[in-house]
Amino acid sequence: MSKPVQNPKTREWQAMSRDHHLAPFSDFKQLAETGPRIITKADGVYLWDSEGNKILDGMAGLWCVAVGYGRKELADAAFKQMQELPYYNMFFQTATPPPLELAKAIAELAPEGMNHVFFTGSGSEGNDTMLRMVRHYWAIKGQPAKKVIISRVNGYHGSTVAGASLGGMKYMHEQGDLPIPGIVHIPQPYWFGEGGEMTPEAFGIWAAEQLEAKILEVGEANVAAFIAEPIQGAGGVIIPPDSYWPKIREILAKYDILFVADEVICGFGRTGEWFGSDYYGLRPDMMTIAKGLTSGYIPMGGLIVRDEVVEVLNQGGDFNHGFTYSGHPVAAAVALENLRILREEKIVERVKAETAPYLQKRLRELADHPLVGEVRGVGLLGAIELVQNKASRERFPGDVGVGMICRSHCFSNGLIMRAVGDTMIIAPPLVISQAEIDELISKARHCLDLTAQEVLG
Ligand SMILES: *Cc1c(COP(=O)(O)O)cnc(C)c1O
C-alpha cells in the first residue's frame, strides 16, 4: 500500500531498526519485515518523513505537542539551562531553581487548593508515585487497610508495572501477570460501544453506579482511591455521557476515599480549560500530569497534590520514593517556557473560543459518511466510530481490521489519525489553525472514502 522506498537513507535506518531496535507497543517480527516510517523533521502541525512526504500530525505526536513543532524558545530554554546547570538532583535536602519555579507556575494554573507538585520523568512514573503516596497517606492516618485503588476497564495510566495495572487494558494485563494485587476495575462510560439499548444518560448513571457498587463490595475501609481520566484518551477518546461525572461526584462525596484525575492527556488545555477537571467541575485530590507539560520536547511528568493531603503527608516522616530525574532542571526549564508560551499567547483561550468549536463542528460533518456510526469530541479531542451498520451500531467483523485500513490510508495521504480498534481518533496540536482544521477534515473524508471503497466494495 505504501509507496516503495526511494531514499537510500530510509533503507539504512530501517535496517538499523530491524537489526538493533526493539520498538514500544510493536510486533517486533512484523516491524522487522515492513520497516518503520522514519520521521525526520517537523514544523508547526506538520511532520516530514525521510521520503520527503509532508504529513499533518492529527495526534500531536502522542497527544503531547501542544504548542506545535519547531518552537525555538523551547530549544533555547534547554540550551541555556544545560550550560548553566545541566543536572543536579532534588534528593537529600537540595534543590535547583527551575523545578521550584515550575511547581509555583503549575500551582497557579491548577484548581484551587492544589499547590504542591512531585516531579517524575513520565506519566507512568506519576501514577506509580500516586499509588505509593496514596497508600502512605492512609497509613499515616492510621488506616493502613485502605490500599485498594479502583480504576476503570479500558482506562490508560501508563506502562510501568503500576501504570499498566491501574490501566484497564486487557492486552497489557495478559503480559507480565498484571494487575498487581490491590487494583480493581469497574466498567467504562463508553456508551457507543457498550451502552446496548440504554440511552446515553441512563448508561452514564449505570456506569457511575458501578463505582459505588465496587466501594461497597471491597468495603470502604479497604478502598484508598478512585483514579480516572476525565476523558479516556488511549482507550478511544471516550466522552462520558453528561450524566456520568455529576453522578461520580455524588458518590465520591459519600465515601472517604481519594479521587485521582489522570490529566496526562486532558491537562494543559486539551479541552479548552487548563485541566479536564476544570472542564467537568471535578474536585480531585491528586492530578497526574505529563505530555502537554513540556509539549513533549523533553520528558517530564508529575503529580499535583491537594493541600489537605500534603498536610497529612507532612506528619509521615520520609516519603521513601523518588527518581534520579525527579525535577530535572533542563526538563523543568523547558516546561516553564512551554507554560509561558501557552499563557502569553493565550493558546488555551483560543482553543476554547475558536478552534475547539470549529473542529467539533467540522468533525461532525463526517457523521453522514456511510462508514461512520458516531462522531464525538470535546476541545481538541475527537473520535470517529467506523461501523458496518450505522443504525444498529454494528461493527465490522474483527478480521476486517477497518481501523487499521483507514489508518494506513491516512498515513499514505499525508494525515496521522490513530486507530483504536475501529475507532479513529485525533488530538492535533493546540495551535492548529482553522485552515489546517479544514485540511485535516478533507483528508479524513478522503481517507474514509478510500476505506469504504476497500471494505464495502
Ligand atoms: C500517556 C499516558 C500516561 C503515561 O504517560 P507516559 O509518559 O507514557 O508514561 C498516563 N496516563 C494517561 C492518561 C496517558 O495518556
Side-chain angles (χ1 to χ4, degrees), residues 59-129:
M59 281 304 296
L62 283 177
W63 323 84
C64 48
V65 188
V67 299
Y69 298 96
R71 290 300 302 242
K72 188 164 174 299
E73 303 94 316
L74 296 183
D76 288 343
F79 182 70
K80 196 162 154 258
Q81 185 59 43
M82 278 196 184
Q83 288 178 312
E84 182 88 18
L85 177 68
Y87 176 74
Y88 198 72
N89 57 276
M90 304 288 278
F91 289 20
F92 316 130
Q93 305 189 7
T94 57
T96 66
L100 304 178
E101 290 167 18
L102 178 61
K104 177 164 182 272
I106 291 171
E108 279 168 24
L109 298 173
E112 182 76 30
M114 302 192 77
N115 289 299
H116 289 78
V117 188
F118 189 104
F119 288 113
T120 68
S122 67
S124 302
E125 288 176 9
N127 282 327
D128 275 58
T129 301

Side-chain angles (χ1 to χ4, degrees), residues 155-194:
Y156 188 78
H157 300 296
S159 196
T160 52
V161 169
S165 295
L166 289 164
M169 305 292 184
K170 198 155 160 274
Y171 61 92
M172 290 175 76
H173 292 169
E174 279 164 359
Q175 297 174 344
D177 202 10
L178 304 178
I180 54 173
I183 294 173
V184 295
H185 296 84
I186 59 171
Q188 58 178 334
Y190 181 24
W191 175 78
F192 186 86
E194 298 172 2

